[in-house]
Amino acid sequence: MKDYFPISLVKTAELDPSRNYLAGFHPHGILATGAFINLCTESTGFSSLFPGIRPHLMMLNLWFRAPFFRDYIMSGGLISSDKESGAHILSRKGGGNLLGVIVGGAQEALNARPGSNMLLLRNRKGFIRLALMHGASLVPIFSFGDNDLFDQYENSPGSWLRWIQNRLQKIMGVSFPLFHGRGVFQYSFGLLPYRRPITTVVGTPIEVQKTPHPSQEEVDRLHQRYLQELSDLFEAHKLKYNVPIDQHLEFC
């Protein structure tokens, strides 16, 4: 699967194995392909790039209700998206744990299409509060190419399709993007993703002072710094991965 696209992992700074980290992963894409391959498998060499760090990735609780499949995904380091699950990872003694959170979640998948750099992040602050409560350094991660794997039918905010998708997402907890990729023997239509490269860039950690009961002002301040660090990471690397110079991250 890694070679199909292909997918690669890029390190820009060291991670200290004596500390725990909370990594924000962006964007979600349609199927969170980059997050799964890089954080839940060894195909891109995570343990070689970040020795002593064990990655975990949060996933919707829905998937942990299926017998056997639950055990399969847990074997890859996936954990349920409960605050208690995240707190369990970040409070482990001795450090060496990285908790990956796809901050935009399933709702962000509705914006995933080639050329889109829109992130559902402006009002997503729960991961910031969790990092403050446990003193876990924040690591911004941007995955170039994750939005390019499928075409999605037009569903701009206010359209009838987006209204239906939002209603289903509220009721069922998962989003239903209408997408298509390529086929097995032709390249115009099918459910296979397009063969387009994904490059996941891990940014520099943001030091976080442990604050068991953070105020809203402290959360807002750290959140604003995180947005700036993520934007800087995107701007520093976008030209290498075929993003036009006039395109920038959009936070909604």
Side-chain angles (χ1 to χ4, degrees), residues 58 81-89 130:
M58 278 189 159
S81 55
D82 292 316
K83 183 173 68 174
E84 292 80 8
S85 297
H88 174 71
I89 299 297
L130 190 62

Side-chain angles (χ1 to χ4, degrees), residues 7-27:
I7 301 175
S8 56
L9 183 64
V10 175
K11 178 175 76 171
T12 64
E14 297 290 341
L15 297 184
D16 183 355
S18 67
R19 298 182 59 86
N20 289 325
Y21 297 89
L22 195 158
F25 196 101
H26 317 272

Side-chain angles (χ1 to χ4, degrees), residues 16-233:
D16 183 355
S18 67
R19 298 182 59 86
N20 289 325
Y21 297 89
L22 195 158
F25 196 101
H26 317 272
H28 184 284
I30 295 292
L31 297 176
T33 306
F36 174 76
I37 290 296
N38 285 299
L39 300 183
C40 300
T41 80
E42 273 298 319
S43 59
T44 55
F46 185 94
S47 63
S48 298
L49 286 174
F50 302 104
I53 303 294
R54 182 184 179 188
H56 305 267
L57 181 64
M58 278 189 159
M59 191 178 190
L60 283 175
N61 296 349
L62 169 71
W63 303 111
F64 292 86
R65 297 172 186 166
F68 304 112
F69 182 72
R70 167 187 179 275
D71 302 278
Y72 163 67
I73 59 178
M74 288 182 69
S75 70
L78 284 155
I79 66 170
S80 64
S81 55
D82 292 316
K83 183 173 68 174
E84 292 80 8
S85 297
H88 174 71
I89 299 297
L90 297 179
S91 60
R92 284 179 173 172
K93 303 295 183 182
N97 296 283
L98 181 142
L99 175 64
V101 180
I102 307 177
V103 183
Q107 192 174 353
E108 190 177 83
L110 298 177
N111 297 324
R113 51 177 45 86
S116 173
N117 296 307
M118 186 178 295
L119 302 180
L120 194 62
L121 187 55
R122 187 175 299 279
N123 296 314
R124 299 282 175 110
K125 300 180 182 180
F127 74 108
I128 299 290
R129 186 177 297 275
L130 190 62
L132 280 166
M133 291 171 63
H134 296 278
S137 296
L138 279 167
V139 182
I141 300 179
F142 193 87
S143 194
F144 293 90
D146 245 312
N147 276 344
D148 299 334
L149 307 186
F150 296 94
D151 289 314
Q152 184 170 180
Y153 292 100
E154 178 58 38
N155 63 339
S156 56
S159 66
W160 65 270
L161 178 56
R162 179 59 73 94
W163 183 84
I164 292 173
Q165 289 172 325
N166 287 337
R167 290 288 295 175
L168 288 174
Q169 199 262 331
K170 287 180 180 179
I171 295 170
M172 304 183 69
V174 295
S175 62
F176 294 91
L178 290 181
F179 63 91
H180 73 85
R182 52 161 289 185
V184 178
F185 301 112
Q186 45 77 31
Y187 299 93
S188 58
F189 189 85
L191 293 180
L192 284 177
Y194 297 119
R195 295 189 71 176
R196 293 170 180 167
I198 297 173
T199 307
T200 301
V201 182
V202 181
T204 303
I206 303 169
E207 294 295 322
V208 176
Q209 185 69 35
K210 186 174 182 178
T211 311
H213 304 286
S215 65
Q216 189 59 50
E217 182 182 355
E218 290 171 316
V219 171
D220 291 342
R221 189 186 309 120
L222 183 57
H223 183 261
Q224 193 59 43
R225 183 182 174 191
Y226 180 84
L227 294 184
Q228 186 60 55
E229 293 286 343
L230 180 61
S231 294
D232 292 345
L233 179 69

